Amino acid sequence: MVMDLPSELEFSLVTPDRQVVRESVIAVSIPGKDGYLGILPGHAPLLTELKPGEVSYTSAGITHYLAVSEGFAEVLPQRVIVLAQASERPEEIDLSRAEEARRRAEEILRQVESEAEREEARRALERAMARLEVAGRASRP
Amino acid sequence: MPNVLDIRRRIRSVRSTQQITRAMKMVAAARLRRAQERVINARPYAEQMMALLRSVAARTEDRSHPLLANRPVERILLVLVTADRGLCGAFNANLIRAAQAYLAEHRGVEVSLLAVGRKGRDFFRRHRVRMVGEHVNVFTRLEFAHARTITAQIIELYSSQAVDAVDLIYNEFKSILVQPLKVERYLPVRPIEPAEGQVLVDYMYEQPPEEIFASLLPRYVEAEVYRALLESQAAELAAKMTAMDAATNNAKELIDSLTLNLNRVRQAAITKEIIEIVSGAAAQ
């Protein structure tokens, strides 16, 4: 039996304060907690937590990049939903703020002993790194 | 016969009340615009989160997690979202009436109340209701952090099995004129019903399901509580605007009728004086 695979995915990315993306796309890449996941139409249902990183999606031949922080993603054959705590497009990222956040987190990691605070700082560092990485990206074919 | 001075004094007092109601209407309108924007922006996330959870509830085969477990409902947590302040028409009265109807309907089960907003708390403090928590003065500066504190309390009660279900009563903001009252069950999550002939397959889990569910639960409640708070705030401001507009119009009508009355009384007094003078002159 031949299965009909959909040729496009409905991709939506939302954060508590806005809808960031809602588009028909042909491929999506998301930062799963255990590594990046590349998703094409017809993917089996999948549920994952996200770690801060880079989301990219391709629509109309152009690949777009976004920074996301912690969240979840639900993958269905015709749909990908990303629920993130925060997300920015490259042009929305405040470079100096991200840089400052990175320095602060590194400072804490160097000096502070308490494990809870270190964990908090590690997360902050991950978020800052994700932002810095995505800030340098431009949409491209 | 009312005297001219008394009527003048009343007009003055009604006019100053009118100035206050007009100012309150303006303030409500200005704040409403911001609140409306916030609630509209917060909706997609809350809706997608709800959709995700319902999909999870329908697909997953492991129903042991509290998020999905359907225990027999013996104790319910009712979260009632009212306003902190009055002067917004029947807004709070409707909510309280709905909560009372809810309590009457669930007489057989033990309902505990979590009051958000001063009005609901004040009302039910005087009644025999088990109040497990109160959050007042959250609407002056509504932040995501408020939703987080309320959520922490809900999760604590629900995970420790102190309650078997969580319901919410709040006002939804549809438009300036329509704010339907909502009674919704948030926990346990209601699974989606698959369409005819559709089979919902379980997910592949990138992480162990318990781990995902454990971090998903607070995010879900947080998002829904935050949305409900924003909805309620926008609805309250809309109700306040409408109520203050009506009050301003009423004041205007009152002033008009008092002015008419004033003129009549003044006329009557003048007429009376003329009659006195004329009849005085005729008598001589």
Side-chain angles (χ1 to χ4, degrees):
Chain A
M1 194 183 84
V2 181
M3 286 249 284
D4 279 337
L5 287 184
S7 61
E8 293 203 315
L9 278 166
E10 192 61 42
F11 173 54
S12 74
L13 195 167
V14 288
T15 63
D17 52 5
R18 66 182 173 144
Q19 172 110 37
V20 187
V21 184
R22 183 170 206 163
E23 262 184 72
S24 214
V25 304
I26 54 172
V28 183
S29 154
I30 52 175
K33 205 175 182 183
D34 305 317
Y36 274 83
L37 298 160
I39 293 146
L40 295 172
H43 200 289
L46 178 142
L47 193 62
T48 184
E49 277 190 64
L50 302 180
K51 67 166 193 296
E54 177 186 285
V55 164
S56 65
Y57 63 96
T58 309
S59 77
I62 297 173
T63 306
H64 303 269
Y65 299 89
L66 292 153
V68 294
S69 58
E70 295 89 347
F72 302 89
E74 183 197 33
V75 177
L76 296 173
Q78 287 126 14
R79 202 176 70 191
V80 175
I81 295 174
V82 174
L83 296 151
Q85 287 297 299
S87 172
E88 291 107 21
R89 294 182 178 279
E91 63 272 19
E92 292 164 346
I93 293 170
D94 184 339
L95 260 182
S96 54
R97 234 185 98 190
E99 192 68 53
E100 171 63 26
R102 183 177 67 103
R103 252 202 311 276
R104 209 168 38 233
E106 282 173 344
E107 189 71 15
I108 293 171
L109 284 178
R110 256 199 305 279
Q111 296 173 346
V112 178
E113 295 290 314
S114 106
E115 200 37 54
E117 273 175 70
R118 291 180 66 86
E119 183 55 38
E120 187 56 42
R122 231 171 271 140
R123 281 162 192 264
L125 182 61
E126 276 183 352
R127 286 195 291 265
M129 294 305 280
R131 286 200 173 99
L132 290 171
E133 194 183 322
V134 173
R137 297 276 202 176
S139 305
R140 58 151 196 256
Chain B
M1 189 84 184
N3 88 40
V4 178
L5 266 178
D6 282 347
I7 299 179
R8 284 228 170 89
R9 204 174 294 137
R10 273 206 66 195
I11 292 179
R12 214 165 24 237
S13 116
V14 173
R15 186 165 290 141
S16 65
T17 306
Q18 186 193 29
Q19 271 164 359
I20 293 169
T21 60
R22 187 180 292 137
M24 287 179 83
K25 178 189 145 193
M26 305 291 220
V27 171
R31 290 186 63 200
L32 173 63
R33 222 164 300 140
R34 273 202 51 224
Q36 203 173 339
E37 206 169 283
R38 282 177 82 186
V39 68
I40 285 167
N41 286 333
R43 271 180 196 155
Y45 184 80
E47 277 161 15
Q48 300 277 32
M49 188 61 114
M50 176 77 90
L52 171 63
L53 264 288
R54 294 190 61 194
S55 168
V56 169
R59 284 165 194 276
T60 188
E61 280 142 24
D62 170 25
R63 311 205 124 264
S64 59
H65 191 271
L67 182 63
L68 311 164
N70 252 317
R71 318 193 271 264
V73 176
E74 281 162 9
R75 285 153 306 175
I76 303 181
L77 175 68
L78 177 65
V79 183
L80 173 66
V81 186
T82 59
D84 280 325
R85 291 197 260 173
L87 289 179
C88 42
F91 184 86
N92 292 308
N94 286 344
L95 283 162
I96 286 168
R97 201 171 318 127
Q100 280 178 312
Y102 180 95
L103 291 173
E105 219 175 281
H106 294 78
R107 201 145 272 163
V109 284
E110 190 189 314
V111 180
S112 344
L113 190 74
L114 179 66
V116 182
R118 183 188 306 278
K119 289 289 168 180
R121 182 210 51 186
D122 288 355
F123 182 87
F124 283 104
R125 198 154 55 176
R126 294 191 298 267
H127 290 71
R128 280 221 207 133
V129 180
R130 216 172 81 89
M131 187 106 65
V132 286
E134 51 177 68
H135 298 266
V136 298
N137 285 335
V138 294
F139 291 106
T140 20
R141 278 186 70 92
L142 185 58
E143 302 282 351
F144 196 73
H146 292 124
R148 205 166 278 159
T149 347
I150 296 168
T151 300
Q153 202 174 0
I154 295 175
I155 301 264
E156 162 65 26
L157 288 165
Y158 187 72
S159 325
S160 67
Q161 312 215 350
V163 296
D164 307 309
V166 179
D167 284 345
L168 207 86
I169 298 184
Y170 68 101
N171 261 298
E172 194 181 54
F173 177 78
K174 266 248 157 66
S175 72
I176 291 175
L177 296 173
V178 191
Q179 299 106 32
L181 222 146
K182 293 272 178 170
V183 183
E184 282 172 359
R185 171 143 302 177
Y186 278 28
L187 289 170
V189 175
R190 206 157 32 94
I192 46 164
E193 272 129 46
E196 194 77 28
Q198 187 193 9
V199 183
L200 296 175
V201 243
D202 200 355
Y203 295 105
M204 306 191 292
Y205 296 92
E206 280 284 294
Q207 293 84 34
E210 315 83 69
E211 224 175 83
I212 299 190
F213 294 161
S215 43
L216 202 48
L217 178 61
R219 289 290 100 79
Y220 160 71
V221 179
E222 223 166 67
E224 301 307 325
V225 168
Y226 186 53
R227 187 187 65 97
L229 293 181
L230 289 176
E231 297 273 1
S232 176
Q233 184 181 42
E236 177 201 340
L237 290 170
K240 175 165 281 177
M241 206 179 94
T242 320
M244 288 301 110
D245 187 47
T248 310
N249 289 339
N250 283 347
K252 185 177 176 296
E253 264 168 45
L254 197 54
I255 291 171
D256 285 350
S257 89
L258 281 171
T259 311
L260 188 67
N261 207 344
L262 170 76
N263 288 338
R264 268 202 202 116
V265 171
R266 199 166 48 96
Q267 283 283 346
I270 292 169
T271 312
K272 202 174 129 213
E273 272 173 36
I274 290 176
I275 290 172
E276 273 166 11
I277 292 166
V278 170
S279 50
Q284 280 183 353

